[in-house]
Amino acid sequence: MELLKRKIEDEGTVLSGQVLKVDAFLNHQIDPVLMLEIGKEFSRLFAGEGVTKVLTLESSGIAPSVMAALEMKVPVVFARKQKSLTLTDNLYVERVYSFTKQQTNEVTVAKKFLSADDRVLIIDDFLANGEAALGLANIVKAAGAEVAGIGIVIEKSFQPGADKLKAAGYRVESLARVASLDNGKVTFLNNGVSEEDTHVQLV
């Protein structure tokens, strides 16, 4: 998705060879015009999958998920990381390790929001080691529902997440695939070929 790649070039920041910061438009400040285009692209990619729900993880996945669900005209469910006084039982619970935050969270979804009739599109902002997406997929399976596919805004292709998800039998569609963050530069992966970009500098 060229619009997203250009946004990463212009406003992303490489913090290390493992971490790309995109808080200017995705996970702190949000660019709603970009999110709308991302939603349209996910809707297009998964148009034939019979999606009945979109499932994501709070909070960075919510904006692209809402836009995709708006296009698909289906509800969004987001797994909570924080404990809630109003959400105490009848829950699906998974432990999910965050590569970026280097911590494990218990994530929960109320059982009433997923059923065996659902075909669920999982959407997440980043794909690194695949732990978040696998955790959400486990919740879908616990509900007796089907995973229609996994949509990723930014995939770090140099980490094993995509291969792990595909090996588990899931369809994965990533809108921007990063081949490398070495030397403070973003290199995108286009059809399996690296395309070096030098606009984003290490700070």
Side-chain angles (χ1 to χ4, degrees):
M1 185 177 176
E2 292 304 315
L3 179 64
L4 175 59
K5 290 179 183 178
R6 299 294 80 79
K7 197 74 170 181
I8 293 169
E9 291 172 10
D10 294 340
E11 298 183 30
T13 304
V14 178
L15 295 182
S16 73
Q18 302 289 313
V19 180
L20 173 65
K21 188 176 182 181
V22 290
D23 64 344
F25 59 88
L26 180 57
N27 55 21
H28 192 25
Q29 176 171 267
I30 294 171
D31 182 336
V33 175
L34 177 63
M35 292 305 110
L36 179 59
E37 293 306 314
I38 284 172
K40 289 178 179 177
E41 184 65 4
F42 280 138
S43 179
R44 184 189 70 80
L45 289 168
F46 292 98
E49 295 293 344
V51 174
T52 63
K53 294 270 175 74
V54 174
L55 177 64
T56 192
L57 190 60
E58 70 171 347
S59 58
S60 301
I62 294 176
S65 293
V66 166
M67 293 305 191
L70 181 65
E71 289 293 314
M72 295 178 174
K73 297 180 172 53
V74 300
V76 179
V77 179
F78 68 86
R80 292 174 177 263
K81 296 178 188 175
Q82 307 299 325
K83 299 291 185 184
S84 171
L85 294 176
T86 63
L87 199 65
T88 56
D89 52 15
N90 292 317
L91 303 174
Y92 298 113
V93 182
E94 276 290 320
R95 290 176 62 81
V96 171
Y97 179 74
S98 168
F99 175 83
T100 305
K101 296 183 175 64
Q102 300 284 296
Q103 66 184 28
T104 299
N105 292 298
E106 275 196 349
V107 301
T108 59
V109 173
K111 290 184 177 180
K112 65 182 178 180
F113 294 130
L114 291 174
S115 77
D117 296 328
D118 283 318
R119 282 185 55 79
V120 181
L121 172 61
I122 294 168
I123 290 179
D124 206 2
D125 59 337
F126 270 97
L127 176 57
N129 292 320
E131 299 299 322
L134 283 172
L136 293 177
N138 287 340
I139 287 175
V140 172
K141 289 193 290 185
E146 292 184 66
V147 176
I150 298 173
I152 301 296
V153 180
I154 302 171
E155 173 193 320
K156 291 189 280 185
S157 300
F158 54 89
Q159 291 180 283
D163 289 339
K164 192 184 300 184
L165 294 174
K166 290 172 184 175
Y170 298 118
R171 176 187 173 191
V172 180
E173 297 286 352
S174 302
L175 303 189
R177 301 175 68 203
V178 176
S180 169
L181 296 172
D182 293 342
N183 302 314
K185 297 181 291 188
V186 174
T187 303
F188 291 112
L189 193 65
N190 292 321
N191 299 318
V193 179
S194 296
E195 181 180 289
E196 188 168 300
D197 178 274
T198 59
H199 292 91
V200 182
Q201 297 298 323
L202 183 64
V203 296

